[in-house]
Amino acid sequence: MTSSHTDCHFCLQSLRGRKYALREENAYCVPCYDSLYANPCEECKQPIECNSKDLAYKGRHWHEGCFRCAKCSRSLVEKPFAAKDEVLLCTECYSDEYSSKCFHCQKTIMPGSRKMEFKGSSWHESCFVCQYCRQPLGTKPLITKDNENYCVPCFEKQFAHHCYTCKKVITSGGVTYHDQPWHKECFVCAGCKTQLSGQRFISKDEYPYCVDCFSRFYAKKCATCKKPITALGGAKYISFEERQWHGECFNCAKCSVSLVGQEFLTWQDDILCHECGSA
């Protein structure tokens, strides 16, 4: 700029016929302006003179020729770039160094593009789809099987079991009984309807019963104590002439000695050891 001002505001030398720079309505010769106000370049550390283009980013300044990718040295002038730890990188180098890889296609998810995250992995939005119908999953409910994601309707159609009792889909957990799937909450005693998942039960005519109901409805009664004989836990019982006894109840009616594995005699409804029976 050729001056209409008379003198440099700093050195007071005449500006007639000379280039100058204005700052806050004051005119400076070029050497004074550069020494007073030129910003140092982040790259080469030299002042960015007033006849050079000053490129600024977040309070830092560069010569136009110094504004380059820190890794590949390509110019970043009028090009997209990213900063990492105050270092400027072109989008390609930034992606190679820091961007996530898509779990599905293993390609880089470029900065600025939308990515989906699920179970610690990242996907391109276009790769995060149902494995069966190929429709985008977005934020919809999904189910994972063998590292593949499915929308709920497709998973149910392809893989889900239906409860033997309520006929609804079993989406997680469940109980298998007589090769049939059941919801845990549907697997109940056929007598009292108590949930049996994780509990001891006895099968009768393909139906499960809790121990109490089975004992009440089906178990034979001990001829001595009159309590049910269930044989749970490997308990032994003795049967004789359509009567049954718990092993610990099969004793002589007179002397109470155990008759398990011993000879015995019967008298009316009693069982007697050989000695008591002979007497």
Side-chain angles (χ1 to χ4, degrees):
M1 182 180 294
T2 302
S3 176
S4 60
H5 291 70
T6 304
D7 301 318
C8 170
H9 183 71
F10 184 74
C11 69
L12 304 180
Q13 292 187 21
S14 173
L15 296 176
R16 293 184 181 277
R18 300 173 62 189
K19 291 183 178 180
Y20 71 96
L22 286 174
R23 183 179 177 89
E24 298 178 353
E25 298 184 358
N26 295 316
Y28 297 84
C29 64
V30 171
C32 286
Y33 183 89
D34 288 342
S35 65
L36 292 172
Y37 302 114
N39 294 306
C41 175
E42 288 286 328
E43 178 64 23
C44 69
K45 310 305 180 184
Q46 297 300 312
I48 304 173
E49 299 172 340
C50 65
N51 60 353
S52 300
K53 194 170 184 179
D54 185 332
L55 300 180
Y57 175 71
K58 290 189 174 181
R60 297 186 294 158
H61 301 265
W62 288 263
H63 289 104
E64 184 175 16
C66 295
F67 195 60
R68 298 178 177 277
C69 172
K71 184 176 181 182
C72 70
S73 298
R74 285 184 290 185
S75 174
L76 299 177
V77 178
E78 297 183 357
K79 293 181 180 178
F81 63 90
K84 180 69 175 179
D85 300 328
E86 297 188 354
V87 174
L88 302 185
L89 299 168
C90 64
T91 53
E92 290 83 359
C93 289
Y94 182 89
S95 298
D96 289 343
E97 290 289 322
Y98 304 109
S99 291
S100 304
K101 295 290 191 297
C102 176
F103 184 84
H104 177 73
C105 69
Q106 295 302 308
K107 294 181 180 179
T108 298
I109 301 175
M110 298 297 289
S113 62
R114 189 175 181 187
K115 71 176 180 178
M116 310 302 295
E117 294 187 350
F118 179 64
K119 289 187 175 181
S121 298
S122 302
W123 280 263
H124 291 109
E125 186 177 21
S126 58
C127 292
F128 193 59
V129 298
C130 171
Q131 179 67 18
Y132 185 71
C133 69
R134 311 307 299 175
Q135 293 300 308
L137 290 170
T139 57
K140 297 177 183 176
L142 61 92
I143 300 174
T144 300
K145 179 178 173 62
D146 299 331
N147 289 328
E148 299 289 357
N149 299 320
Y150 297 85
C151 64
V152 174
C154 287
F155 181 86
E156 292 179 354
K157 185 185 300 182
Q158 291 296 108
F159 304 109
H161 296 291
H162 290 76
C163 177
Y164 182 77
T165 298
C166 70
K167 310 305 179 186
K168 294 180 180 179
V169 170
I170 301 172
T171 57
S172 63
V175 176
T176 299
Y177 171 68
H178 281 189
D179 296 327
Q180 297 292 345
W182 309 58
H183 289 113
K184 288 183 179 180
E185 59 271 22
C186 293
F187 188 61
V188 298
C189 171
C192 66
K193 306 305 179 185
T194 300
Q195 288 191 20
L196 295 177
S197 178
Q199 306 297 321
R200 293 193 302 175
F201 64 91
I202 303 172
S203 177
K204 174 69 174 176
D205 299 329
E206 297 188 358
Y207 289 99
Y209 290 85
C210 67
V211 175
D212 289 342
C213 286
F214 183 85
S215 299
R216 185 165 64 252
F217 297 144
Y218 300 108
K220 297 181 182 299
K221 302 298 190 292
C222 175
T224 298
C225 70
K226 310 305 181 185
K227 294 180 180 179
I229 300 173
T230 62
L232 285 174
K236 296 180 180 180
Y237 72 97
I238 293 88
S239 179
F240 176 71
E241 292 182 351
E242 298 184 357
R243 289 190 295 166
Q244 289 81 31
W245 292 262
H246 293 109
E248 63 272 18
C249 294
F250 194 60
N251 302 323
C252 175
K254 288 189 176 183
C255 70
S256 300
V257 67
S258 174
L259 298 177
V260 178
Q262 306 297 321
E263 292 182 352
F264 63 91
L265 301 171
T266 62
W267 182 72
Q268 297 179 355
D269 290 334
D270 293 330
I271 53 173
L272 304 169
C273 66
H274 192 271
E275 291 182 5
C276 290
S278 298

